[in-house]
């Protein structure tokens, strides 16, 4: 019987534990990444026929930059559904989270050429705080993300600081205290995946290059780590990407809402 992809090496795990992030190089081939990139850009084109998909953080609005985004992309293309349960990806997530990996949400970001918006330094914690802080992000790179394309920057070890006081309504941290220029750049190539804790302080620079930067961010948690607030609900939240939900919590929520229906407990 095949044992499947190995996940992170001991060295990568140790790096993640002490730094709060780790870059897994070459998880996907350049060809796979190119196909995913095409899918992401075709999705963005389809979506723009229906709605504006350009956003920018309030704290960087004066920069005249934008980022195209779409949440919960697995509801728009089956290619992304398959990517979420790719064993190479889930094995790496299991190396950090343990055997059970539960989806919180996904989002594609396309930073357009020359005017791709920066992300101010922030922790993801305040958007969706959880009791045990198991939440991690994985940024799957569909094309190369060197410094000039606005690669992600992190403050190594900052996941050990706990939740910090944000400076603005958009939850960004004060620039004078956490200058992005001093953060460690994480340049990546197509097919690389960057994992980091939701407590790790991170941001990213502007895309000043002539090519878009295209990524998929997947936010995941241990299913036994309860949310502290009921904000940031997403379609598909609670889907198991690996292992099981020992609490059967997702099923319970479905049962509770079904109970309120006049046809509850009817065969369907
Ligand atoms: O994709 C990026 O450059 C950063 C994304 C990010 O920081 C976030 O969504 O929290």
């Amino acid at each position: 019987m095949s044992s499947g992809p190995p996940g992170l090496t001991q060295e990568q795990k140790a790096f993640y534990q002490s730094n709060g992030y780790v870059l897994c190089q070459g998880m996907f081939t350049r060809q796979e990444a190119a196909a995913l990139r095409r899918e992401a850009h075709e999705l963005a084109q389809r979506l723009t026929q229906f709605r504006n998909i350009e956003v920018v953080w309030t704290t960087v609005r004066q920069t005249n930059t934008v980022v195209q985004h779409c949440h919960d992309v697995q509801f728009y293309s089956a290619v992304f559904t398959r990517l979420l349960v790719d064993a190479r990806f889930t094995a790496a997530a299991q190396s950090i989270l343990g055997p059970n990996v539960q989806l919180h949400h996904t989002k594609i970001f396309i930073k357009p050429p020359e005017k791709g918006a920066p992300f101010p330094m922030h922790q993801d914690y305040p958007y969706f705080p959880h009791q045990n802080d198991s939440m991690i992000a994985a940024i799957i790179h569909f094309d190369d993300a060197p410094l000039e394309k606005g690669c992600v920057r992190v403050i190594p070890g900052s996941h050990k600081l706990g939740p910090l006081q944000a400076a603005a309504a958009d939850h960004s941290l004060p620039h004078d205290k956490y200058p992005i220029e001093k953060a460690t750049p994480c340049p990546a190539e197509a097919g690389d995946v960057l994992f980091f804790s939701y407590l790790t302080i991170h941001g990213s620079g502007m895309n000043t290059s002539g090519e878009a930067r295209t990524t998929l961010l997947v936010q995941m948690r241990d299913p036994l780590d309860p949310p502290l607030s009921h904000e940031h609900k997403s379609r598909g939240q609670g889907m198991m990407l690996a292992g099981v939900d020992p609490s059967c919590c997702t099923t319970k929520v479905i049962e509770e809402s079904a109970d309120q229906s006049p046809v509850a407990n009817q065969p369907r």
Side-chain angles (χ1 to χ4, degrees), residues 60 111 118-122 147 150-155 173-185 201-206:
V60 295
K111 283 192 184 188
F119 284 65
M121 298 300 279
H122 65 282
L147 197 55
C151 69
V152 174
R153 287 172 172 258
V154 298
I155 301 187
L173 291 165
H175 181 262
D176 53 345
K177 222 163 160 196
Y178 305 100
I180 191 162
E181 306 75 29
K182 294 245 170 83
T184 303
I201 302 173
H202 63 285
S204 64
M206 189 175 158

Side-chain angles (χ1 to χ4, degrees), residues 195-241:
F195 289 89
F196 57 92
S197 157
Y198 83 158
L199 288 171
T200 301
I201 302 173
H202 63 285
S204 64
M206 189 175 158
N207 181 9
T208 55
S209 81
E211 191 191 66
R213 195 212 75 176
T214 315
T215 52
L216 174 67
L217 189 152
V218 185
Q219 208 92 43
M220 296 161 284
R221 67 184 171 202
D222 176 349
L224 294 180
D225 186 3
L228 295 176
S229 76
H230 287 286
E231 294 157 61
H232 210 295
K233 295 254 188 215
S234 294
R235 287 170 88 193
Q237 195 167 104
M239 174 184 171
M240 295 308 298
L241 304 185

